[in-house]
Amino acid sequence: MKIAAFPKCYLDDIAGARSMSVFDWIDMARELDADGLEMYEGFFTSLDDDYLFSVRDAIADAGFEMPMLCCSPNFTHPDPDERKRAVEYEATMIRVTKLLGGDGAVCRVLSGQRYPDVSREQGIEWVVECIEGVLPVAREHKIILGLENHYKDGFWRYPEFAQKMDVFFELLNAIPERDCFGVQYDPSNAIVAGDDPIELLRAVADRVVSMHASDRYLSGSYTLDDLRESDGTIGYSDALQHGVTGRGLNDYDTIFQILRAVGYDGWVSIEDGLNGMEEMQASLEFLHRMRRKYFPNEAEL
């Protein structure tokens, strides 16, 4: 198990306002006790080789690996031309993942947005068709596609089509590929969906290829029952706050026990820092303790 960091606190600055560059983030991350830096497709201002080589070199010069590239393909768009473009773009991002991370790196894949007029049956059909369309590219580049149980991309209008656990399972089971396709597991997203993150993990543990380790805590008078009774669109409301990993709602002892039992040897990446780099470092320290506890032979390789 290796530990990576993802700068959720700077996502809008790097990918939206462009007030901060990916190189600024890489330089800031030197102070973090991590093995790798996860990237997001919106971090890059160019997809030219020379630019991407400079990003790869900056990551390596800072002492990190690049284990996963977070991509957000929209495979449920009602327009077939838009779906085709999403497949082509995901294929491009697979190539970028290979260039930055090398063989075996994970390129995240999502289902798409939950458009009001797209039925569950139709959405599943389109997403399976699109993912099967990019699997040959993943095989060619020796990259693993990680389907995340996601809430929504921050730049999307609608939540994730396969946000709820039952839809996620149906989609995952429709794609039996295991060499180049698996699960990018995020326990906090299960909580946001009103689902049980442990139940979800037990069902997919043998297909997990990467993991996000964020944490959430309830504010105000909200309860877990309120989340479970929701339609899964509560999202990132004030009722559910990001916090230091290990101090929130997730049962990380049980999570790591399950991962150890299936022999998990992939990456765990924190999504943290909304309240500053000190919280990000605290989350990393928690993951180092978990690694020493549950993966002692890999603790400080």
Side-chain angles (χ1 to χ4, degrees), residues 40-41 70-74 89-90 108-110 150 153-154 156:
Y40 173 69
E41 61 182 345
C70 265
C71 302
S72 303
N74 187 14
Y89 187 71
E90 183 73 9
R108 186 184 73 177
V109 63
L110 300 179
H150 205 234
D153 183 276
W156 281 2

Side-chain angles (χ1 to χ4, degrees), residues 40 50 54 181 260 264 299:
Y40 173 69
D50 287 346
S54 67
F181 178 76
R260 181 180 62 184
Y264 181 72

